[in-house]
Amino acid sequence: MTPRLEAAIAAATALLRAADGLLIGAGAGMGVDSGLPDFRGDHGFWRAYPPLAAAGIRFVEIANPDRFESDPTLAWGFYGHRLALYRATVPHAGFAVLRELGARLPHGAFVFTSNVDGQFGRAGFADERIVECHGSIHHLQCTRPCGAAIWPADAVAPVVDAATCRMAAPLPRCPHCGALARPNILMFGDGRWVDARTATQYDRLDTWRRRVGRLVVVELGAGTDVPSVRRMVEAQRAPLIRINPRAPDVAPGRGVGLPLGALDALVTLRACLD
């Protein structure tokens, strides 16, 4: 460990010790240590989905509500595969470290994530302490939509052909009107996302945030291409610990950056706090 990194870790530890509440901002990089792909660029996406690479279909073109109209078995093949993958993935040990860090503080921790994988819930964080700003693959809505209904995807058992990335029938249907259902995820160019569930999550975060007097933010694996998490945590005007192996920079006087992966950094911080 370099002297510069040691100093950064010491500074981050001091920020955690001084706080009374922890806001966790998490992007796709948070799941890498669990073995999940982060779809960094089209080439990273195509490595995870060779049939889509062969067809020249980019991430923005498959993660798009129009695909459910033009090619529903392919759209559901992509999302069905992801649903099965996320259900089978065990959250890495860094999630437990974050729970421990929050448990040390009077107001605990709250999660703000752009990830749709549900990993924080699987890792034991209460639903009432999570904002999924892009929605969740574990919930469905109508593709039309015919209304504001959102329901769990528990009944979906995806069977996906790995060679074609197409999901076998029957495809999920809206229980209210019978139209095709889709994940309750904010997609690219999406004017049909039903945001009621996420709006309620934001309300809970606002209520919690007003109670916290000495907030510290730990941001993990949040990218710059779709900077939803970065923008939100920087808007808090609170000390920021940015954990990111590729883009750890923090504005002067705003906090500290750790050029590490999520699991490595969290285990190191916990050891320093003990």
Side-chain angles (χ1 to χ4, degrees):
M1 186 180 298
T2 66
R4 184 175 181 179
L5 182 55
E6 286 183 351
I9 290 171
T13 302
L15 292 177
L16 288 167
R17 291 189 189 280
D20 67 349
L22 170 63
L23 178 63
I24 300 163
M30 180 63 184
V32 169
D33 290 307
S34 298
L36 295 176
D38 65 359
F39 299 157
R40 185 169 176 254
D42 283 332
H43 291 292
F45 165 65
W46 284 334
R47 278 196 299 272
Y49 290 93
L52 301 184
I57 297 173
R58 301 167 58 218
F59 181 46
V60 298
E61 295 169 334
I62 192 67
N64 192 301
D66 293 342
R67 187 65 64 169
F68 284 89
E69 294 184 4
S70 64
D71 200 342
T73 61
L74 187 66
W76 260 113
F78 172 63
Y79 281 102
H81 176 270
R82 291 176 68 189
L83 176 60
L85 173 65
Y86 297 152
R87 283 173 173 170
T89 299
V90 177
H92 63 75
F95 287 88
V97 174
L98 287 170
R99 288 183 59 199
E100 291 177 25
L101 296 180
R104 297 170 183 258
L105 306 179
H107 296 293
F110 212 111
V111 175
F112 182 92
T113 182
S114 58
N115 299 335
V116 301
D117 53 28
Q119 290 287 287
F120 279 96
R122 287 179 61 86
F125 284 83
D127 289 344
E128 294 75 20
R129 289 291 183 100
I130 301 173
V131 172
E132 295 161 309
C133 68
H134 293 169
S136 168
I137 201 168
H138 302 287
H139 290 79
L140 304 180
Q141 66 166 80
C142 180
T143 51
R144 290 177 177 174
C146 66
I150 299 169
W151 63 96
D154 297 350
V156 179
V159 177
V160 178
D161 184 341
T164 62
C165 196
R166 292 186 179 276
M167 182 163 147
L171 301 181
R173 294 282 167 181
C174 173
H176 304 284
C177 72
L180 186 69
R182 52 164 272 195
N184 181 232
I185 291 173
L186 178 61
M187 302 177 191
F188 292 98
D190 198 347
R192 286 167 279 181
W193 181 48
V194 178
D195 67 352
R197 179 174 174 272
T198 299
T200 298
Q201 294 176 336
Y202 271 104
D203 289 342
R204 294 182 188 133
L205 173 58
D206 289 343
T207 299
W208 175 83
R209 178 68 180 89
R210 288 193 292 270
R211 296 198 300 264
V212 179
R214 301 186 311 280
L215 181 70
V216 66
V217 180
V218 174
E219 179 198 286
L220 308 108
T224 56
D225 292 337
V226 183
S228 306
V229 173
R230 287 195 170 216
R231 287 175 179 169
M232 190 275 178
V233 301
E234 289 173 354
Q236 300 303 306
R237 301 289 174 180
L240 169 63
I241 302 168
R242 172 164 284 153
I243 297 170
N244 193 303
R246 293 190 291 263
D249 293 344
V250 178
R254 298 295 302 275
V256 59
L258 302 181
L260 301 170
L263 179 57
D264 189 11
L266 290 170
V267 169
T268 300
L269 289 173
R270 179 177 59 184
C272 293
L273 285 166
D274 289 342

